């Protein structure tokens, strides 16, 4: 956050660590936090069981399903090369936010499983989206998805293993 101040996000809310003292930040009493990240504009994003929070202009703003977010439980938040923010729920799909409007991608049409575990830009026009039963490629310029079912691969010693990440050896990208 700055000046040797750190925010600690976890199951017991949001806390501030400053000068070796931890204090609870007011306003998040019932929130569990699952993710914290910083975007290219310097905004701090928090994924929680009460939607997504962004800290910008010295104040917090909360986004929930009422604002168009796909779910109120957000596990991860990532920014792509176009400065679009991506929000991963663990059961209802993903959302992206550009120009202050959410676009939602539901499970049945786009993903192999309803439990999304990761999203990572591979390059400017490809994302890998990991699920508990495989993964999908997303191509933003075409707004299209390709599902990859691990159980259909000819040699597959991992079966339908939960994917929490992978490494692309060609492009040197971890996801």
């Amino acid at each position: 956050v700055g000046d040797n101040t750190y925010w600690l996000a976890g199951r017991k809310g949001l806390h501030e660590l400053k000068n070796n003292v931890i204090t609870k930040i007011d306003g998040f009493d019932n929130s569990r936090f699952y993710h914290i990240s910083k975007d290219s504009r310097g905004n701090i994003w928090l994924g929680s069981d009460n939607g997504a929070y962004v800290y910008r202009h010295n104040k917090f703003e909360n986004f929930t399903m009422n604002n168009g977010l796909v779910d109120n439980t957000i596990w991860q938040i990532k920014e792509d090369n176009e400065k679009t923010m991506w929000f991963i729920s663990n059961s209802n799909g993903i959302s992206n936010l550009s120009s202050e409007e959410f676009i939602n991608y539901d499970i049945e049409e786009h993903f192999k499983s309803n439990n999304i575990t990761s999203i990572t830009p591979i390059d400017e026009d490809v994302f890998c989206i990991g699920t508990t039963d495989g993964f999908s490629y997303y191509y933003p310029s075409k707004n299209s998805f390709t599902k990859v079912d691990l159980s259909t691969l000819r040699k597959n010693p991992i079966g339908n293993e939960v994917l929490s990440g992978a490494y692309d050896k060609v492009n040197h990208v971890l996801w």
Side-chain angles (χ1 to χ4, degrees):
V1 178
D3 64 15
N4 293 321
T5 301
Y6 302 90
W7 284 346
L8 310 172
R11 293 186 313 161
K12 294 185 177 182
L14 185 62
H15 296 78
E16 181 176 84
L17 170 63
K18 186 173 185 174
N19 299 323
N20 292 326
V21 176
I22 297 176
T23 56
K24 189 167 186 131
I25 297 176
D26 291 333
F28 304 101
D29 292 338
N30 297 319
S31 294
R32 289 179 175 216
F33 289 93
Y34 306 112
H35 184 82
I36 186 168
S37 61
K38 185 176 183 180
D39 69 19
S40 62
R41 298 172 201 88
N43 301 318
I44 306 295
W45 291 89
L46 300 141
S48 79
D49 59 359
N50 287 320
Y53 292 89
V54 61
Y55 183 77
R56 59 182 165 199
H57 311 298
N58 295 315
K59 65 179 182 175
F60 285 99
E61 185 177 356
N62 182 226
F63 298 103
T64 65
M65 291 174 70
N66 293 334
N67 304 102
L69 196 59
V70 72
D71 196 315
N72 283 335
T73 301
I74 301 299
W75 289 100
Q76 285 187 38
I77 303 171
K78 299 263 181 128
E79 180 181 34
D80 69 17
N81 295 332
E82 302 296 317
K83 299 186 187 323
T84 298
M85 300 306 297
W86 290 84
F87 304 84
I88 298 175
S89 80
N90 78 330
S91 60
N92 284 334
I94 62 175
S95 296
N96 76 29
L97 176 65
S98 61
S99 304
E100 301 300 319
E101 183 178 330
F102 286 101
I103 299 171
N104 296 323
Y105 302 92
D106 67 7
I107 296 296
E108 289 181 25
E109 186 177 346
H110 302 295
F111 309 109
K112 181 71 179 122
S113 165
N114 70 342
N115 193 344
I116 297 171
T117 57
S118 63
I119 181 170
T120 300
I122 297 299
D123 64 31
E124 289 185 16
D125 196 41
V126 182
F127 282 85
C128 279
I129 301 167
T131 74
T132 55
D133 287 329
F135 61 95
S136 295
Y137 289 113
Y138 172 62
Y139 305 92
S141 65
K142 300 175 191 171
N143 194 29
S144 68
F145 289 82
T146 301
K147 295 179 190 178
V148 178
D149 182 350
L150 295 178
S151 67
T152 64
L153 300 177
R154 204 171 67 197
K155 287 189 175 183
N156 179 10
I158 63 173
N160 279 347
E161 178 66 35
V162 173
L163 289 181
S164 57
Y167 180 70
D168 179 340
K169 290 171 59 174
V170 174
N171 296 307
H172 305 287
V173 176
L174 183 66
W175 61 277

